[in-house]
Amino acid sequence: MKLLIAVPSKGRADKIIKHTMRWLPRTGFEVRVFVEPQEIEKYKERLEHGNYDNRVHFPIENVIDIGENDKGLGFAMKFIKQYAIDNGFELVFKMDDDVLRFNSRGKNKVDDEMVMDFAGMVGQCRKTMSEYPDVGAISYPYRNELFEPKKWVSMNTRLQTCYLIRTSLMQDGEFDAMEDFAQYVLLRKANKVTLRYGLLGIDCADVGKNKGGHQMFNRGEKVEADIAKLRAIHPAIQFKKVEGKSWAYEPVLTGDFFGVKKL
């Protein structure tokens, strides 16, 4: 299945080459960075000239202008879906722009080894998506969630931050601050399964604290708007207040609708 790794990014032209784009182009996959027209030249300049130390070359034609400014992550994801359809990509790996590495438990691996591990993981996930059409998406834990490492740890677990999804099942731009959770709800409503991979975890900048991205909007207002739209899809979804986070609410993942199971 033809795969696109899509990196939507905003306000992080200087940081992206120290985080995700420090290592991702070296994996050999088709990678595109999707940015707003007001930042396109800055991203091209930084990605073309900012990574000699890490032996990374990223063609500037793979920095894609999404055509509108300040429309939010939902708009960017809708654009990415259409781009993937137009270019024949059956799968999209949605990758955040502040991922330091995908790593197993223990010490950080050197980038050369980590890149090989990531490529192997993606290969296993693509194979699974090809073999099981009911699997709509594959999610990944944060590294501190690698409690019992094994290839598949659960099914119908929520999507978070980075995930692999069938292009045809991507959302159409309705959700911003809770984009990953909303994508998960839409998959469950379509009676599609999610799998959680468990041998590598996401290691990224502090969620909600890294400048750029969601932090350039009023995240609280966008969360409340997304919650209202999610309840219109499935009125029984519940949310709990959380402290010390910019988004204030987290979903409660219980009940038959979600069907979360350990494997």
Side-chain angles (χ1 to χ4, degrees):
M1 301 180 77
K2 189 177 178 183
L3 168 71
L4 169 68
I5 300 187
V7 188
S9 189
K10 179 177 174 64
R12 292 175 177 162
D14 293 321
K15 290 186 176 181
I16 194 171
I17 59 170
K18 300 175 182 177
H19 294 158
T20 304
M21 299 304 287
R22 185 193 81 251
W23 60 273
L24 184 59
R26 292 167 56 191
T27 62
F29 296 117
E30 294 266 13
V31 179
R32 304 288 187 274
V33 178
F34 294 85
V35 302
E36 297 173 352
Q38 63 189 343
E39 296 188 293
I40 189 80
E41 293 306 320
K42 185 173 184 180
Y43 269 85
K44 285 182 175 180
E45 190 275 332
R46 296 301 286 133
L47 285 166
E48 184 178 24
H49 300 296
N51 247 330
Y52 294 125
D53 289 345
N54 294 310
R55 296 179 288 122
V56 171
H57 170 69
F58 189 70
I60 59 172
E61 61 267 24
N62 290 343
V63 182
I64 308 300
D65 185 340
I66 66 173
E68 297 279 353
N69 294 321
D70 302 322
K71 290 295 185 70
L73 180 58
F75 178 87
M77 294 304 295
K78 181 178 181 178
F79 183 96
I80 289 168
K81 178 180 181 179
Q82 192 59 52
Y83 180 93
I85 291 170
D86 292 344
N87 290 278
F89 292 103
E90 301 161 275
L91 298 175
V92 171
F93 195 123
K94 183 257 183 178
M95 177 75 71
D96 273 22
D97 60 2
D98 58 354
V99 177
L100 298 169
R101 63 189 65 81
F102 273 70
N103 212 22
S104 56
R105 294 175 66 175
K107 289 178 59 178
N108 292 341
K109 293 186 177 180
V110 297
D111 280 356
D112 286 346
E113 190 173 349
M114 183 269 294
V115 162
M116 293 176 64
D117 288 348
F118 177 84
M121 175 192 79
V122 173
Q124 293 174 33
C125 293
R126 288 170 81 176
K127 183 173 184 291
T128 297
M129 298 283 275
S130 295
E131 292 175 347
Y132 299 98
D134 285 339
V135 176
I138 295 175
S139 68
Y140 305 93
Y142 294 115
R143 184 156 58 133
N144 62 0
E145 297 173 328
L146 292 172
F147 304 119
E148 299 178 12
K150 57 182 180 178
K151 185 186 293 186
W152 306 116
V153 296
S154 59
M155 63 183 291
N156 297 334
T157 311
R158 70 169 292 182
L159 308 183
Q160 58 185 19
T161 305
C162 305
Y163 55 85
L164 177 65
I165 188 169
R166 296 182 190 277
T167 304
S168 60
L169 297 174
M170 293 176 69
Q171 68 136 327
D172 288 319
E174 295 296 319
F175 299 92
D176 284 310
M178 302 189 79
E179 174 272 330
D180 48 3
F181 176 69
Q183 183 65 79
Y184 164 62
V185 171
L186 293 169
L187 287 168
R188 296 302 298 133
K189 186 179 180 185
N191 202 30
K192 295 297 182 180
V193 172
T194 66
L195 289 177
R196 173 66 60 90
Y197 186 85
L199 293 178
L200 298 178
I202 304 163
D203 194 356
C204 60
D206 290 341
V207 178
K209 297 180 181 179
N210 190 22
K211 290 182 180 179
H214 284 308
Q215 280 59 254
M216 299 181 75
F217 298 94
N218 186 323
R219 192 166 184 174
E221 288 182 0
K222 286 186 172 289
V223 165
E224 291 181 4
D226 282 355
I227 287 174
K229 287 181 282 190
L230 285 163
R231 283 180 169 150
I233 294 172
H234 186 65
I237 293 177
Q238 298 181 4
F239 294 85
K240 60 184 179 182
K241 278 191 78 69
V242 294
E243 301 295 333
K245 295 182 178 180
S246 59
W247 51 92
Y249 294 95
E250 283 281 1
V252 178
L253 302 178
T254 56
D256 293 338
F257 175 78
F258 296 118
V260 179
K261 296 180 183 178
K262 289 187 177 182
L263 296 177

